[in-house]
Amino acid sequence: EGGRSDLLKNLELFFNLPLKQFDSSGLILTDIQFKPLENYSARLDSSRKKISLTWNKTENTIYNIIFQKDFASDTSGGSFEKNDTLTFRTYKESEYGSFKLKFNNLGKYQNPVLYINANDNILASYKLNNPELYVKLFRPGSYDIRILEDTNNNGVWDTGNYHEKKQP
């Protein structure tokens, strides 16, 4: 997003074609002085079109990703012709909001889970073990919230089963 990375999400790199070959050691995450970071991971998803980078981000910090020319190639044989660098900054904590929700009569629900949605996409979910929930960092915006009574305690919405006469 404009050369900036969300503190709350993995950094994702998208490719038009699936990657035929991917060598995560050829993708190097560094600080502003190009000192390689430790304890980060780069994972290719099952579609082979997205790489997710995960690490402990620091707010308002500049990072670099160095792409070595042979780190990946796509199914058409396309690859980087030379080493390249992507520079970006993480958001400041002051660019986030926080929220506190208090729930009445939460005890009457079995394993309640709060879902926070935007545009019919689930952005976050929280198991509600207490009648009060505080979230320190959350992106400002308009959201819908829903509470799921999670009778099987797996933390996700399960579809129903018509033959077993089981509701979702």
Side-chain angles (χ1 to χ4, degrees):
E1 298 176 12
R4 299 180 61 197
S5 178
D6 193 331
L7 291 171
L8 305 174
K9 297 179 183 176
N10 294 336
L11 181 80
E12 296 178 333
L13 306 169
F14 294 91
F15 299 86
N16 292 330
L17 296 172
L19 296 180
K20 183 170 123 181
Q21 176 267 328
F22 170 62
D23 177 9
S24 62
S25 67
L27 197 145
I28 304 163
L29 183 64
T30 73
D31 64 14
I32 186 66
Q33 284 89 25
F34 290 92
K35 179 183 172 195
L37 299 182
E38 297 181 14
N39 299 323
Y40 70 94
S41 68
R43 290 188 301 153
L44 184 63
D45 78 335
S46 60
S47 74
R48 303 190 66 83
K49 288 184 168 185
K50 180 175 77 173
I51 297 173
S52 294
L53 286 169
T54 306
W55 75 100
N56 290 328
K57 295 177 184 176
T58 305
E59 69 151 334
N60 198 31
T61 301
I62 297 174
Y63 294 98
N64 301 297
I65 301 173
I66 301 171
F67 302 93
Q68 295 185 344
K69 68 178 180 177
D70 56 356
F71 93 95
S73 62
D74 64 28
T75 53
S76 72
S79 63
F80 284 80
E81 296 194 14
K82 60 180 183 165
N83 292 351
D84 204 354
T85 304
L86 173 67
T87 301
F88 60 95
R89 177 187 299 269
T90 53
Y91 284 102
K92 299 175 189 176
E93 280 193 19
S94 62
E95 295 177 88
Y96 293 84
S98 63
F99 66 85
K100 181 188 283 188
L101 298 174
K102 293 182 182 183
F103 302 95
N104 294 326
N105 302 320
L106 196 59
K108 71 179 185 177
Y109 298 105
Q110 186 177 2
N111 309 314
V113 177
L114 175 74
Y115 281 105
I116 300 178
N117 304 317
N119 301 321
D120 291 327
N121 293 317
I122 298 172
L123 300 179
S125 66
Y126 303 94
K127 285 190 173 193
L128 299 175
N129 300 320
N130 299 309
E132 188 171 289
L133 173 69
Y134 175 71
V135 177
K136 180 181 175 186
L137 295 176
F138 209 83
R139 297 281 301 176
S142 295
Y143 302 101
D144 296 317
I145 60 173
R146 298 177 185 158
I147 295 181
L148 164 71
E149 186 171 11
D150 188 18
T151 55
N152 64 359
N153 202 19
N154 66 355
V156 297
W157 173 269
D158 295 309
T159 60
N161 186 318
Y162 178 77
H163 299 292
E164 294 177 10
K165 297 181 180 177
K166 186 175 181 182
Q167 293 289 325

